[in-house]
Amino acid sequence: MIVVKQVMDHCSLFFGNRGELYQCEAADVLIAVYPATRKRGWWTYATLELHKTGATECVLYSYQFDRAMITHLACIARKVAVQWEEQRSQLQTGSVYLLEGAIQEASMLDCALVTPVYYEEIGFEYYTNGKDVVRFMMLHAIAKSEAEFAEYYGLDALEELFARTCVDSLNVMRTPAI
């Protein structure tokens, strides 16, 4: 539990406030939710105990608080933990996880794409206490069509498409680029 508190403190330092803790039935993992601030105009949802299975924590973002985001993050955490237990395989950039429904009601986005934490300050992506090293990865809500595009053409091609079409990946209500 000491490392969990240290991870939460690391997040609080970068996000500018203390997160509110949630436990979700979908997975046995604590999730901290950090509200939007003037500096950070989005809500941040972060796993706190996933590092026990693969030394990685996940963050998910949205412009408004939505309890469903906690459930989605917990479901992904469960899949990541099972993947670690069965294959000793860590979370990888470019991995895609099918959500159990749309990221938000009426959204067309139903998958989560794993990338580095693009929206965070330098130094956030890794936490260490001198013994444990925890890597943070970002989850982007994407559509199945975008996931298929990334699988066929690669993550770089999807990111180029997003840049070219000015996709706001924090907008979970956006229209898919494909």
Side-chain angles (χ1 to χ4, degrees):
M1 199 64 168
I2 293 170
V3 177
V4 171
K5 182 181 178 334
Q6 292 169 344
V7 168
M8 187 171 183
D9 290 345
H10 175 77
C11 291
S12 295
L13 177 68
F14 281 89
F15 302 157
N17 52 40
R18 299 289 302 168
E20 186 172 335
L21 294 177
Y22 292 85
Q23 184 78 40
C24 190
E25 290 181 23
D28 188 24
V29 64
L30 276 175
I31 294 175
V33 179
Y34 299 87
T37 62
R38 283 188 173 158
K39 184 178 177 182
R40 295 171 54 82
W42 54 87
W43 288 77
T44 305
Y45 309 80
T47 60
L48 296 176
E49 298 176 305
L50 192 58
H51 66 272
K52 297 174 187 175
T53 54
T56 303
E57 297 291 352
C58 297
V59 293
L60 185 62
Y61 305 102
S62 66
Y63 285 126
Q64 289 88 29
F65 173 78
D66 186 349
R67 196 166 178 86
M69 301 296 268
I70 297 166
T71 303
H72 288 304
L73 187 54
C75 290
I76 292 168
R78 183 186 65 231
K79 292 175 184 179
V80 170
V82 167
Q83 176 181 320
W84 175 257
E85 290 167 7
E86 291 178 354
Q87 304 166 8
R88 288 293 187 239
S89 175
Q90 284 187 311
L91 197 62
Q92 297 296 319
T93 297
S95 296
V96 174
Y97 292 89
L98 182 63
L99 302 175
E100 296 185 7
I103 189 79
Q104 200 171 60
E105 189 175 329
S107 174
M108 299 173 71
L109 310 179
D110 51 5
C111 294
L113 172 68
V114 179
T115 69
V117 283
Y118 294 135
Y119 298 122
E120 302 305 338
E121 294 178 32
I122 294 174
F124 174 76
E125 64 274 7
Y126 286 97
Y127 166 75
T128 185
N129 58 13
K131 177 183 173 195
D132 303 288
V133 177
V134 178
R135 176 181 61 154
F136 288 86
M137 299 295 283
M138 177 179 178
L139 300 172
H140 295 269
I142 64 171
K144 281 183 194 146
S145 58
E146 295 166 336
E148 291 167 355
F149 180 91
E151 184 178 355
Y152 188 78
Y153 294 104
L155 178 59
D156 289 342
L158 181 64
E159 289 176 339
E160 288 173 18
L161 174 66
F162 282 0
R164 192 172 58 252
T165 58
C166 298
V167 165
D168 176 1
S169 65
L170 296 183
N171 179 2
V172 296
M173 299 305 291
R174 70 177 175 80
T175 302
I178 299 171

